[in-house]
Amino acid sequence: MMNFRSIVQLLIILFLSGECVIGQESFHRVVTPFPVTDPYGGMYQLPATGGLNRPVQQFVDIDDDGDADLFIRDHADQLIFFENTGTAEIATFEWVTDTYAGIPIGGWFHFVDVDSDGDQDLFTDSPLSNMSYYRNEGTPGAALFVHKTDTLRDQAGDPVYVEIPTVPAWTDIDCDGNPDMFLGRLTGEIAYYSYAGLDGAGIPVFEHITETFQGLLIVTGGDDCMTAQVASDRSGRHGASAMAFADIDSDDDPDLFWGDFFAQSLLYLENLGDCTVPSYLFIQEQFPATNPICTGGFNIPQFTDIDNDGDADLFVGTQGGAYSLTVDLADNLAFYENTGTPSAPVYNLRTKRYISAIDLGDKAVPAAADIDNDGDIDLLLGNEAQPEADNSSRLHLFRNDGTGTDPFLVHADTNFLSLGIGYNYAPAFVDIDGDLDMDILMGEWTGVMNLLRNDGTPENPSFVLADENYFGIDVGNNSTPAFADIDNDGDQDMLIGEFLGNLNFYRNNGTAESAAFDLEDENYFGIDVDLYSAPSFADIDHDGDFDLFVGSDLQGIVFYRNTGTPEAANFVEDANLLFPLHFRVAPLLTDMDGDSDLDLIGGVNGGGIVFYENLENSTSVDPAETGELPGILHLVRNYPNPFNPVTAIEFRLARAGTVTVAIYDLNGSLVEQIVEGEFREGRHVVEWNAGRRASGVYVARVSAGSSEQTIKLVLLK
């Protein structure tokens, strides 16, 4: 029989996610595998999305359901899609995929209905800084993108050239009902292309009007957010930029907003002309006026009415410009709510992290162990550099306050052990001295190993920095350790990844109580993943020996199956098990949910984690293989969760029947019956408004005939 958790995970995969792992082992990506709190006690809504470093964002209703969905480019050729499963008034975003429609987008993208057929077409960056065009040949509610050209040409037949790293914009500048195109130039000027129609292949054609739109020259300078100035000449600087047009004063013409490589804020140019004859004047060099954005530079603005109140709200993604590439590695997607009116906007900063996920800045490395001996797995994450802490690294402790089978992680400490000994922390738990508690061996940028010995007990750990150059080990740069008894002699051997991508094997020629590590191989089994190797051991095929997962900079996670014995390993690359999507990934195999199989946690370049659920012991039926849903009733999820005060409960029926949805407290007492009635076959969503209820954990019970399933709902007020 499939339990509730198994069905939920499988249906999330089947209906929501286009990403799974190739291979006989049943790994599937889940972004909300268990509840995780942030350091302030709130809940991460999408904890395992991996974090963001330099988001380029756009809101667009891609499924024509009346609310704005979200697309983000954070890495070249990967377009992340978050579906808005809420409403036009209350947005609720759920991750769907990191590779929307399999489209390689390069450095930027932009959706626009360029052919006026009611659906969104797509422009993207292409090789040699030309422009690719994807025509939407589907419908407004079901997009189907077809690649038409990777070299968009203007009316004269010349390629449209987009200078790196500018981000272009489209708006109807002349009120003819068609989108015109604007490209920022490194000189600080703006190229203007007027829409001229479609060619015989259905590809849009733009007429190149000018390289100096409105005579504007936008080149910024200054040393901080309060002294930036628009230069009257080029002053040796360039103007790499991102533009957005929006009518924020409701006078029926588009105003202009400019993010610049040398500007820590946004520039606002009001359109003082009219709909057919624009005339732009600098109004503000620090926008918004009441609380200007202030970052390391190069901000990407976009306006959208995210709450459907009739005025334009502001979203700003930060790329990191001339002033800092590190300070905005976590706080880099800001949301300013417009609390004014359509003609008199007032922008209030609501958050600098619109995607609520674990994000420690850059390059997270995980370690896991039951460090307090309470029967569940705790999580430790190292990072490359803490954005607000002058580039020093930190360890972050996520304490498991749940159980061994139902994890509930609390971001309990953002500077665990207060080390201050370097950066690029790469921790690994291991009982290195045989005293039955978990010690920490930690690599770092310098290539050495640090011993954090546990001088406490299994229940009350007390980690002491006992050695900053453990056994004199130095692998060059970015030491990343993993431990296993690879020769079955009763002690822990050590494998260390490094910057150059190979693996260093140190055999333990001591004992479990007194380790003695000797370097045996600097290129273990000839394994080389190019850059930033990060090993992790696990007996994933249950044959009694350790297999090997190796993270990399650009290849994702590479799997090496052990075809040898517990005493004599022989690692052979197995391309049938692939985790290819993630950059600078450090894998960890651990049974996070207590179901007796090993899940995969990957610390990634974005400063967060990705989570792959191992369904090996969770199911006997794979609906992706059968094409059917097992059973009559399948309770998929509720969203959002946690929520306040409304949550939507989604379920699916294999055939029509009577359904009851009821809410109970944890004592089993009925709180409220939401619905009872006849439902047709297929997908259904019912809402529970808990406005009159106290914060806490509730249980939703859905019954259909003899089938009954439950799910926990977390109300946070």
Side-chain angles (χ1 to χ4, degrees), residues 46 95 276 339 348 402 404 518 562 581 659 680 704:
L46 299 165
W95 173 89
T276 58
T339 59
N348 289 290
D518 294 308
N562 190 345
L581 292 174
V659 176
R680 59 174 173 76

Side-chain angles (χ1 to χ4, degrees), residues 369-641:
D370 183 6
I371 64 172
D372 47 12
N373 204 32
D374 63 350
D376 52 41
I377 300 295
D378 308 292
L379 182 65
L380 193 65
L381 291 178
N383 64 359
E384 180 179 66
Q386 193 71 14
E388 67 273 16
D390 298 325
N391 292 341
S392 63
S393 288
R394 288 185 182 176
L395 295 175
H396 290 248
L397 174 64
F398 292 81
R399 188 183 63 241
N400 192 342
D401 285 354
T403 68
T405 56
D406 286 306
F408 190 107
L409 299 187
V410 175
H411 197 163
D413 197 333
T414 61
N415 193 10
F416 185 58
L417 305 182
S418 302
L419 293 173
I421 57 174
Y423 58 102
N424 280 109
Y425 286 172
F429 284 109
V430 60
D431 181 9
I432 203 64
D433 48 14
D435 62 354
L436 304 181
D437 56 35
M438 300 305 292
D439 309 293
I440 299 173
L441 266 294
M442 190 177 72
E444 57 171 287
W445 179 81
T446 61
V448 303
M449 296 294 299
N450 299 271
L451 170 61
L452 305 170
R453 189 181 62 232
N454 188 349
D455 288 347
T457 66
E459 293 76 20
N460 295 290
S462 177
F463 295 99
V464 176
L465 180 58
D467 195 335
E468 293 187 52
N469 191 12
Y470 188 61
F471 276 93
I473 293 170
D474 187 344
V475 298
N477 291 106
N478 293 96
S479 49
T480 306
F483 292 86
D485 184 2
I486 202 65
D487 49 12
N488 203 28
D489 65 351
D491 55 38
Q492 296 291 316
D493 305 294
M494 179 164 50
L495 193 63
I496 307 178
E498 58 158 288
F499 169 75
L500 292 177
N502 56 291
L503 298 174
N504 302 266
F505 177 55
Y506 287 79
R507 191 180 301 277
N508 189 346
N509 290 317
T511 65
E513 294 76 23
S514 180
F517 288 104
D518 294 308
L519 176 63
E520 190 166 296
D521 195 337
E522 293 182 316
N523 191 17
Y524 191 55
F525 280 93
I527 294 171
D528 188 341
V529 294
D530 294 332
L531 292 174
Y532 295 106
S533 52
S536 182
F537 288 106
D539 182 9
I540 202 65
D541 51 12
H542 310 295
D543 63 350
D545 55 37
F546 287 100
D547 306 296
L548 179 61
F549 295 77
V550 183
S552 68
D553 188 32
L554 297 175
Q555 299 178 41
I557 300 170
V558 185
F559 174 57
Y560 296 85
R561 198 178 296 276
N562 190 345
T563 62
T565 67
E567 293 77 22
N570 183 50
F571 291 107
V572 177
E573 183 176 351
D574 185 343
N576 291 316
L577 185 60
L578 302 176
F579 300 81
L581 292 174
H582 311 297
F583 294 91
R584 188 74 179 275
V585 59
L588 172 72
L589 280 296
T590 186
D591 185 8
M592 202 70 199
D593 51 13
D595 63 353
S596 301
D597 55 32
L598 295 173
D599 308 305
L600 189 147
I601 299 173
V604 293
N605 177 267
I609 64 170
V610 294
F611 184 86
Y612 283 88
E613 169 82 1
N614 188 345
L615 300 181
E616 176 187 0
N617 292 327
S618 300
T619 178
S620 58
V621 178
D622 187 346
E625 294 179 0
T626 65
E628 300 176 355
L629 301 180
I632 181 175
L633 170 68
H634 308 288
L635 177 54
V636 182
R637 56 179 175 165
N638 72 295
Y639 49 86
N641 194 34

Side-chain angles (χ1 to χ4, degrees), residues 662-672 688 693-694 696-701 711-713:
I663 307 298
Y664 294 81
D665 62 24
L666 291 181
N667 295 319
S669 299
L670 178 65
V671 173
E672 183 177 346
W688 181 41
R693 309 296 177 183
V697 179
Y698 296 84
V699 176
R701 179 179 297 168
I711 189 172
K712 290 181 180 179
L713 318 177

Side-chain angles (χ1 to χ4, degrees), residues 54-72:
R54 295 176 178 88
V56 178
Q57 78 288 345
Q58 187 181 3
F59 290 87
V60 61
D61 184 6
I62 199 65
D63 49 12
D64 197 35
D65 62 352
D67 53 41
D69 306 298
L70 175 59
F71 293 85
I72 294 177

